[in-house]
């Protein structure tokens, strides 16, 4: 039986050229939107030439990009991107007026569906299990992704001990790289244009044998060589700026997966955390808050 497009792309990640790996990584992450791509649009998005896109398709065993897209039926089927009648009606009315936001909505929903599919993969389960059982979890993000890293770290701290947000200000990552503690792991959030520090840190953790997970976009062509898992989210939604909002959605799903791994006993910690917050900070309308 001939290989599916997905299988051919995954094989290319292991043996292809730099340009081929970049195209394969992007196509795997953006498969639901491939029917709308042209050789020119793909070339522009991954910074290669149009002839390179055509050559890549032939390398995979297809005559052209059109031929490649013709094989997508077995990959994504005929499932509508917009699930409910309300969303479909919004799409039709908006597209009739050439509304670019409708296209953005369509892309975001497709990306979210892809994210939920990712959450069922063996790679995802491996990450969730590690985040639940590792002796210590370190989380970091660079540039505009710093807040996303803090979000995951703060949420995980409600579920377990030993979760640390890496201190970027120190400039040496010593708390992670100089520790003798066995069983620690790292999660990196990063999107293009990638910080040099992100790639260097991934290389250092690989040399140190520290399991590392990279949460990134579809354009990252260096991550798979340096980390244990690459969790790819969609970031292109027909907007002025690439959006990393789905990294937050990924964090929510990952936190849920860690909760499932830890089991009901985590409720004791959650209750204690709530009690401590109430004692020191309090919530609006809660009379049991701090007394000063």
């Amino acid at each position: 039986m001939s290989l599916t497009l997905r299988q051919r792309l995954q094989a290319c990640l292991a043996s292809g050229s730099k340009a081929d790996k970049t195209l394969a990584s992007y196509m795997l992450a953006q498969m639901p939107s491939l029917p709308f791509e042209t050789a020119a649009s793909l070339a522009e998005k991954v910074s290669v030439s149009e002839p390179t896109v055509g050559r890549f398709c032939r390398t995979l065993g297809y005559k052209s990009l059109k031929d490649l897209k013709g094989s997508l039926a077995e990959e994504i089927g005929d499932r509508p991107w917009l699930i409910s009648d309300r969303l479909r009606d919004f799409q039709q009315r908006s597209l009739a007026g050439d509304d670019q936001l409708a296209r953005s909505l369509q892309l975001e929903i497709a990306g979210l569906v892809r994210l939920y599919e990712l959450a069922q993969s063996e790679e995802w389960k491996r990450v969730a299990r590690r985040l639940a059982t590792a002796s210590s979890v370190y989380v970091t993000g660079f540039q505009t992704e710093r807040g996303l890293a803090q979000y995951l770290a703060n949420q995980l701290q409600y579920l377990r001990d030993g979760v640390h947000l890496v201190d970027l200000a120190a400039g040496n990552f010593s708390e992670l790289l100089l520790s003798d503690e066995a069983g620690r792991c790292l999660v990196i959030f990063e999107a293009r244009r990638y910080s040099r520090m992100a790639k260097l840190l991934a290389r250092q953790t690989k040399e140190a044998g520290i399991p590392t997970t990279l949460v990134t976009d579809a354009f990252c062509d260096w991550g798979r060589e340096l980390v244990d898992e690459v969790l790819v989210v969609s970031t292109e939604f027909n907007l002025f700026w690439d959006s990393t909002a789905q990294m937050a959605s990924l964090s929510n799903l990952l936190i849920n997966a860690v909760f499932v791994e830890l089991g009901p006993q985590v409720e004791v910690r959650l209750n204690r955390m709530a009690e401590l917050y109430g004692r020191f900070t309090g919530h609006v309308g809660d009379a049991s808050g701090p007394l000063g």
Side-chain angles (χ1 to χ4, degrees):
M1 187 174 73
S2 62
L3 296 176
T4 65
L5 172 58
R6 190 181 298 274
Q7 290 170 330
R8 298 182 196 194
L9 291 171
Q10 289 172 336
C12 185
L13 289 176
S15 60
S17 65
K18 186 176 186 298
D20 288 352
K21 289 179 180 179
T22 301
L23 281 163
S25 180
Y26 181 82
M27 286 186 175
L28 280 168
Q30 304 291 349
M31 195 166 285
S33 64
L34 285 184
F36 299 93
E37 299 285 4
T38 65
S41 65
L42 279 174
E44 181 180 2
K45 287 174 180 177
V46 300
S47 300
V48 299
S49 66
E50 287 189 51
T52 298
V53 175
R55 180 195 55 75
F56 175 69
C57 293
R58 292 189 293 274
T59 298
L60 293 179
Y62 301 98
K63 297 177 182 178
S64 62
L65 179 60
K66 181 179 180 181
D67 184 32
L68 181 150
K69 292 194 293 185
S71 70
L72 282 171
E74 61 187 275
E75 301 290 331
I76 61 178
D78 58 358
R79 295 170 297 171
W81 288 0
L82 304 182
I83 306 303
S84 72
D85 291 338
R86 181 178 178 184
L87 286 173
R88 190 176 296 109
D89 179 63
F90 172 82
Q91 179 205 27
Q92 292 171 350
R93 286 187 288 107
S94 299
L95 290 180
D98 193 28
D99 190 334
Q100 294 301 308
L101 283 180
R103 173 67 175 145
S104 300
L105 175 63
Q106 198 174 38
L107 290 171
E108 286 223 48
I109 293 174
L112 193 58
V113 170
R114 171 73 183 94
L115 194 56
Y116 273 77
E117 290 173 344
L118 176 63
Q120 296 177 319
S121 68
E122 290 303 317
E123 187 175 44
W124 179 278
K125 294 174 184 177
R126 184 168 66 247
V127 174
R129 193 174 305 116
R130 184 185 303 133
L131 295 184
T133 60
S135 59
S136 291
V137 176
Y138 293 84
V139 188
T140 190
F142 301 86
Q143 306 174 104
T144 54
E145 287 69 58
R146 288 175 298 171
L148 292 158
Q150 182 172 1
Y151 175 74
L152 177 63
N154 289 164
Q155 294 288 77
L156 283 177
Q157 286 166 351
Y158 273 82
L159 301 184
R160 52 155 295 167
D161 286 322
V163 179
H164 312 278
L165 183 66
V166 176
D167 179 15
L168 299 182
N172 54 34
F173 304 104
S174 59
E175 71 269 41
L176 171 65
L177 297 174
L178 295 186
S179 172
D180 292 328
E181 180 183 20
R184 62 196 188 281
C185 67
L186 173 67
V187 179
I188 299 175
F189 285 82
E190 182 65 321
R192 65 173 183 176
R193 301 174 61 193
Y194 313 101
S195 168
R196 290 189 182 94
M197 284 197 297
K199 187 174 181 179
L200 179 58
L201 178 59
R203 183 176 291 119
Q204 291 290 309
T205 55
K206 181 178 182 180
E207 292 176 0
I210 301 171
T212 299
T213 302
L214 175 63
V215 180
T216 188
D217 55 31
F219 303 97
C220 183
D221 61 357
W222 53 265
R224 295 183 188 277
E225 299 174 359
L226 299 177
V227 302
D228 297 84
E229 300 91 16
V230 178
L231 303 182
V232 178
V233 303
S234 300
T235 56
E236 283 198 313
F237 302 124
N238 200 36
L239 302 173
F240 169 73
W241 204 271
D242 284 1
S243 170
T244 54
Q246 292 201 1
M247 289 186 177
S249 297
L250 178 145
S251 292
N252 287 332
L253 288 173
L254 202 51
I255 291 161
N256 183 72
V258 172
F259 176 83
V260 172
E261 287 287 336
L262 292 173
Q265 69 269 19
V266 77
E267 184 179 1
V268 175
R269 180 177 176 85
L270 289 171
N271 289 338
R272 181 60 177 149
M273 289 285 283
E275 179 183 320
L276 288 171
Y277 188 88
R279 179 178 301 171
F280 287 101
T281 306
H283 298 89
V284 173
D286 184 358
S288 63
L291 300 177

